[in-house]
Amino acid sequence: MSLEALLQVASPFVESLSAVASPFTSAEFDEYVMKTYARYPITLERGAGCRVWDADGREYLDFVAGIATCTLGHAHPAMVEAVTKQIQTLHHVSNLYYTAAQGELAKWLVKNSCADRAFFCNSGAEANEGAIKLARKYAHTVRGITNPVIITAHASFHGRTLATITATGQPKYQQGFSPLVPGFEYVPYNDIAALEQAIAALDQDKPRVAAILLEALQGEGGVRPGDRAYFQRIREICNERGILLICDEVQVGMGRSGKLWGFENLGIEPDIFTSAKGLGGGIPIGAMLCKESCNIFQPGDHASTFGGNPFACAVALAVCHTLEADHLLQNAQERGEQLRTGLQAIAQRYPEKVADVRGWGLINGLEIQAEIDLTSAQVVQSGINQGVLMVPAGPKVVRFVPPLIVTASEVDHALHAVDQAFATL
Ligand SMILES: *Cc1c(COP(=O)(O)O)cnc(C)c1O
C-alpha cells in the first residue's frame, strides 16, 4: 500500500499526523505550557551519546545531561533494550503486588551502599519527602519527640514540593508560597560551630532535633563539596544524640562524583539517603534508602502509585548494571580529572575572570570573579553559540555535568568552548 493510500485509510488521523510532523514553534509552545521555566530558544529533537540535535539539525555537545540525569547519555543501547523489553512484558501494575524488577533494583542498591532497605518513588523531591516523613516518624515513635525539627543548610536544594522548598535553605524558592511547613531550621554549610550552636539551642529543654539533612556536595547551591571533617563530626554528633543523618544524593549520587554515592567521598555513612536524577538515566524514578535501625515504616505509612513500577525499575537496573560493566565510576574519575585540570588551566589564563574551579568526578563548577559583571548565564550562552550545552549553578557558577560515558575528546571539545567564552566575554 502506498503512503497516500495508507493516509486515506487513516483519514481521521491525518490531521493529527501532519500536526506532529510539522515543526512546533516555541511561540506556539508558550501558548499552551505554563511559563514556569526560562527556556533557551532551542527545540531539541534527537540525541545519541553525549550529543543532541535541534529541530534545525544543529548539533550540540551535551554537558548538561538533563541536569546530571542522563547517566548513559542519549539513546544508549542498554536503555533502549531495557525499555523495549519491559514495555513488551509488564510496565505497570501496583504496589498491591510483587514484581521482580523492583526487588532486583532494591537489592542492587542495598548491596552497593550502606543502606538495608529501599522505597521507590518518582522524583528527587518525592524521595526527600519520604525521608522527611521517615525522620519525623522515627522522632515520634522511637525518641518520643512531639515537636521534631530537621536542620538543613543555607544554599541547599531539596526540591519544589512544599516540604522540600521549606527544607531548601534559599528564600528565592520559598517566596510567595507561605505558609511553609513547620519544623525546619537552617545553618551555614561546612560550619561545624554554627551547627553545634543550633543543636544546643534547639535541644536546650528537651531533645527536638530529629535529623540533619545535607547534600554531600551542594549542586544547585554552586557545586560546593562538603568538608570531610565537618561531615565526620556530624556523624559523631548524630551517634551521640540519636539524631538521623540524611544525605540528599539526588544530584551527586549514582556515580557522578566518581564514587557511587557522594557521601563516600566524605568517609561517612548516612542513616537515610535519597536518589533520583541519575538513577533512571532520564526515566523518572526516585528512591529513599535507610539503615535497618530506622526501617520503621509500616504498611500504609507511605505510598506512591507509580513508585517502583517494573518499567522504571528495569530501566534503572540497566543503568546500574551498565555503570558496573562499563567501569563508568572510573571514567567519571578520569574524565573529571581531565576536565578539572583543563578548567584550572583556563582559570590561570583568565585570573581576572575566574575565581575558582571545584568538584568531584563529573560534577564540576567554575566560579566567576564576584567583582566583575560577567555572569554564568553569559558563559552558558557563549557555549550554546559554539554548540556546547552547560548549565548555571547560581548567577556566578557554570556547572559541568556531562553523561558518565563522556570521552576524552568530548571533554577537550567542551574545554575549548569554555576557553573561547572567556577569551571573548
Ligand atoms: C534536582 C534535585 C532535587 C529535586 O529533584 P526533582 O526530581 O526535581 O524533584 C532534590 N535534591 C537535589 C540535591 C537536587 O539536585
Side-chain angles (χ1 to χ4, degrees):
M1 202 185 261
S2 72
L3 181 61
E4 284 74 19
L6 198 74
L7 289 176
Q8 294 260 297
V9 175
S11 57
F13 306 113
V14 168
E15 208 181 9
S16 59
L17 271 178
S18 60
V20 169
S22 74
F24 198 84
T25 66
S26 52
E28 200 178 356
F29 183 106
D30 285 337
E31 277 181 47
Y32 297 101
V33 179
M34 282 192 197
K35 280 225 170 228
T36 57
Y37 305 95
R39 293 175 201 270
Y40 297 101
I42 301 170
T43 302
L44 294 175
E45 212 168 61
R46 177 169 77 81
C50 296
R51 319 236 154 203
V52 290
W53 287 266
D54 71 12
D56 300 325
R58 198 166 171 234
E59 181 180 307
Y60 300 86
L61 179 63
D62 186 7
F63 266 53
V64 179
I67 312 190
T69 294
C70 302
T71 309
L72 306 182
H74 303 276
H76 192 285
M79 284 187 77
V80 172
E81 193 196 329
V83 165
T84 309
K85 208 175 131 201
Q86 199 61 43
I87 201 81
Q88 290 173 338
T89 313
L90 186 73
H91 72 292
H92 178 84
V93 279
S94 160
N95 286 301
L96 289 167
Y97 314 102
Y98 288 88
T99 63
Q102 183 174 144
E104 280 178 30
L105 180 61
K107 183 176 176 184
W108 193 92
L109 292 171
V110 163
K111 296 280 176 210
N112 287 282
S113 75
C114 59
D116 299 304
R117 304 279 167 161
F119 171 87
F120 294 104
C121 52
N122 311 285
S123 68
E126 208 187 338
N128 287 332
E129 286 272 348
I132 291 164
K133 281 179 68 178
L134 184 60
R136 282 188 172 186
K137 177 135 202 231
Y138 183 91
H140 287 296
T141 60
V142 178
R143 296 182 60 210
I145 297 175
T146 49
N147 196 6
V149 172
I150 295 175
I151 297 178
T152 72
H154 293 157
S156 60
F157 185 80
H158 300 296
R160 299 295 203 128
T161 61
L162 269 177
T164 58
I165 58 168
T166 309
T168 293
Q170 300 192 58
K172 72 172 176 185
Y173 292 109
Q174 303 169 340
Q175 250 135 46
F177 301 112
S178 65
L180 296 176
V181 175
F184 289 90
E185 292 287 339
Y186 313 92
V187 293
Y189 191 62
N190 279 342
D191 180 342
I192 198 65
L195 180 69
E196 283 178 337
Q197 247 170 39
I199 295 172
L202 286 160
D203 279 359
Q204 198 170 16
D205 300 327
K206 52 184 183 198
R208 282 192 65 198
V209 180
I212 300 169
L213 164 59
L214 294 169
E215 295 157 89
L217 171 153
Q218 291 190 324
E220 300 302 310
V223 191
R224 288 176 205 287
D227 179 60
R228 210 179 159 87
Y230 175 69
F231 272 82
Q232 295 195 342
R233 180 70 194 121
I234 292 176
R235 186 62 270 176
E236 285 172 9
I237 294 170
C238 287
N239 291 351
E240 286 159 14
R241 293 178 172 256
I243 297 170
L244 298 177
L245 175 56
I246 308 171
C247 283
D248 179 342
E249 289 280 325
V250 170
Q251 187 157 163
V252 75
M254 274 305 284
R256 182 146 295 280
S257 74
K259 303 208 187 282
L260 188 58
W261 307 110
F263 56 74
E264 292 173 35
N265 296 278
L266 302 169
I268 55 118
E269 291 185 354
D271 301 292
I272 302 172
F273 71 93
T274 55
S275 176
K277 287 191 168 86
L279 179 57
I283 299 297
I285 183 168
M288 189 260 292
L289 293 105
C290 76
K291 296 237 187 206
E292 193 56 42
S293 54
C294 46
N295 175 34
I296 57 159
F297 273 166
Q298 299 297 316
D301 277 347
H302 197 47
S304 164
T305 296
F306 292 124
N309 84 16
F311 180 77
C313 288
V315 181
L317 197 58
V319 173
C320 294
H321 287 161
T322 307
L323 271 186
E324 271 183 315
D326 294 354
H327 311 289
L328 294 182
L329 296 186
Q330 193 185 338
N331 196 56
Q333 288 162 22
E334 290 171 4
R335 299 286 67 79
E337 189 65 41
Q338 179 194 352
L339 181 61
R340 270 188 309 284
T341 305
L343 291 174
Q344 273 148 7
I346 291 169
Q348 268 159 23
R349 274 200 287 287
Y350 311 99
E352 70 293 351
K353 295 178 187 174
V354 180
D356 193 22
V357 170
R358 55 180 178 253
W360 293 337
L362 283 172
I363 179 159
N364 293 286
L366 177 150
E367 184 164 3
I368 299 162
Q369 293 286 8
E371 313 82 63
I372 62 171
D373 273 342
L374 189 61
T375 64
S376 52
Q378 286 173 278
V379 175
V380 168
Q381 185 58 54
S382 167
I384 289 173
N385 299 344
Q386 300 176 71
V388 177
L389 304 181
M390 302 173 265
V391 58
K396 282 289 189 177
V397 178
V398 185
R399 177 171 28 166
F400 305 88
V401 281
L404 304 191
I405 58 165
V406 72
T407 64
S409 66
E410 285 165 340
V411 169
D412 281 339
H413 180 164
L415 285 168
H416 179 75
V418 177
D419 190 272
Q420 280 300 108
F422 284 102
T424 52
L425 288 169

